[in-house]
């Protein structure tokens, strides 16, 4: 749990990657908060645990006829790895993947940075935060 | 009678992460695979036909989105592939989008004419 610094925000995220605008929005908020010196906790629930899967791979676009290199597709795992890198030199990023959600999806092989946890962690993080933003699936 | 009418209404869901819209993309793939296919943009998806959209400049954690989605170009490419692309006139008006705002190749259809458009197709795929 992140408690250092003046302000901390906790974000609960539920949507899987590549299917909704909420995941991009959440990542942008995390980026902006870290750059403003705000510590960030993320609780990835249900499909959101897939956002950090290490095996995500870029692909070409056969509609446009572009290659993998030309398409330069940044996965959510790459974005999140960048956020962890950003947190090395400033406010902390603590990313918890819901363990039961991970198990039911076989999504346990993730990038360096996130850790396994449970709903109790969301409660604890929320209690220790300036504010909590819940981004559910609609 | 035409084949499939693919109806798209959810807009900008995952377009940044996918670098395109998944339904426009799969529609184009189906067209390339030989499908007789049309696309109807309704509700918020009518904005896909607005020319000059620019989603560039996004960076998250220092990772740049160097190839942003270009949805208006994707609509034009789909129309140029031979797939008719329709947009609902009232949904455009509700959002203050005029005919001058639209990219080339799209056809407007009124809500009153949607039933006829559906009747003109063998199958309606409402995504």
């Amino acid at each position: 749990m992140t408690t250092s610094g003046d302000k901390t925000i906790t974000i609960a995220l539920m949507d899987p990657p590549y299917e909704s605008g909420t995941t991009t929005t959440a990542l942008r908020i995390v980026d902006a908060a870290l750059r403003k010196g705000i510590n960030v906790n993320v609780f990835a629930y249900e499909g959101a645990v897939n956002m950090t899967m290490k095996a995500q791979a870029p692909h070409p676009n056969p509609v446009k006829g572009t290659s993998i290199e030309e398409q330069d597709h940044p996965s959510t795992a790459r974005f999140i790895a960048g956020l962890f890198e950003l947190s090395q030199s400033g406010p902390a990023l603590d990313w918890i993947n819901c363990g039961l959600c991970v198990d039911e999806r076989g999504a346990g092989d993730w990038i360096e940075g996130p850790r396994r946890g449970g709903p109790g962690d969301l409660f604890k993080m929320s209690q220790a935060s300036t504010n909590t933003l819940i981004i559910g699936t609609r | 009678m035409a084949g499939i009418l693919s109806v798209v209404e959810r807009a900008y869901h995952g377009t940044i992460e996918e670098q395109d819209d998944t339904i426009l993309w799969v529609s184009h793939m189906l067209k390339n695979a030989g499908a007789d296919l049309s696309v109807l943009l309704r509700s918020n998806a009518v904005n896909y036909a607005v020319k000059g959209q620019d989603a560039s400049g996004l960076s998250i954690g220092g990772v740049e989105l160097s190839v942003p989605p270009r949805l208006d170009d994707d609509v034009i490419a789909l129309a140029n592939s031979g797939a008719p692309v329709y947009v609902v006139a009232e949904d455009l008006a509700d959002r203050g989008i005029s005919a001058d705002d639209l990219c080339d190749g799209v056809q407007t259809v009124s809500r009153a004419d949607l039933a006829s458009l559906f009747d003109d197709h063998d199958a309606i795929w409402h995504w």
Side-chain angles (χ1 to χ4, degrees):
Chain A
M1 181 166 47
T2 300
T3 55
S4 62
D6 294 325
K7 291 183 179 179
T8 299
I9 185 171
T10 290
I11 299 171
L13 186 59
M14 199 170 170
D15 280 323
Y18 308 110
E19 293 180 23
S20 165
T22 59
T23 46
T24 304
T25 299
L27 295 180
R28 293 181 68 187
I29 291 171
V30 174
D31 181 277
L34 291 174
R35 292 181 190 280
K36 290 176 186 291
I38 299 169
N39 300 312
V40 179
N41 300 318
V42 176
F43 181 71
Y45 184 51
E46 298 295 355
V49 299
N50 290 108
M51 293 182 69
T52 51
M53 286 182 73
K54 189 190 294 183
Q56 293 184 41
H59 57 74
N61 188 332
V63 163
K64 296 178 180 173
T66 49
S67 66
I68 290 178
E69 292 75 19
E70 290 167 331
Q71 200 58 36
D72 191 23
H73 192 178
S75 65
T76 54
R78 251 182 79 196
F79 280 140
I80 294 164
L83 292 172
F84 272 106
E85 202 169 310
L86 184 61
S87 73
Q88 296 302 308
S89 56
L93 170 62
D94 190 7
W95 185 295
I96 291 180
N97 283 327
C98 166
L100 299 181
C101 313
V102 165
D103 294 342
E104 66 190 2
R105 289 168 176 78
D109 189 17
W110 56 61
I111 59 171
E112 193 173 336
R115 61 189 178 95
R116 182 186 176 98
D121 291 303
L122 171 60
F123 176 65
K124 291 173 188 169
M125 291 191 299
S126 175
Q127 292 294 101
S129 294
T130 313
N131 213 333
T132 298
L133 177 60
I134 302 293
I135 305 178
T137 291
R138 295 286 183 269
Chain B
M1 181 174 282
I4 302 160
L5 178 65
S6 211
V7 182
V8 185
E9 65 180 43
R10 294 177 84 236
Y12 303 101
H13 283 245
T15 51
I16 293 291
E17 291 167 17
E18 285 285 7
Q19 300 172 304
D20 51 40
D21 174 84
T22 51
I23 308 308
L24 290 184
W25 185 87
V26 79
S27 297
H28 204 141
M29 286 293 285
L30 292 166
K31 182 65 185 172
N32 288 349
D36 179 12
L37 181 136
S38 310
V39 171
L40 172 67
L41 303 176
R42 66 171 300 272
S43 190
N44 286 336
V46 299
N47 210 79
Y48 283 173
V50 173
K51 61 188 174 189
Q53 297 179 56
D54 184 1
S56 64
L58 180 67
S59 173
I60 295 172
V63 178
E64 292 186 8
L65 185 72
S66 62
V67 182
R70 299 190 183 282
L71 295 159
D72 47 350
D73 288 346
D74 293 345
V75 168
I76 292 169
L78 187 58
N80 287 343
S81 76
V85 178
Y86 302 97
V87 289
V88 177
E90 288 85 348
D91 290 344
L92 292 170
D94 287 348
R95 290 159 180 79
I97 301 169
S98 70
D100 291 340
D101 297 323
L102 298 178
C103 57
D104 293 336
V106 299
Q107 305 171 52
T108 56
V109 57
S110 69
R111 284 180 190 151
D113 290 331
L114 286 180
S116 297
L117 183 66
F118 291 173
D119 269 350
D120 288 341
H121 290 79
D122 292 322
I124 310 299
W125 290 6
H126 189 180
W127 295 92

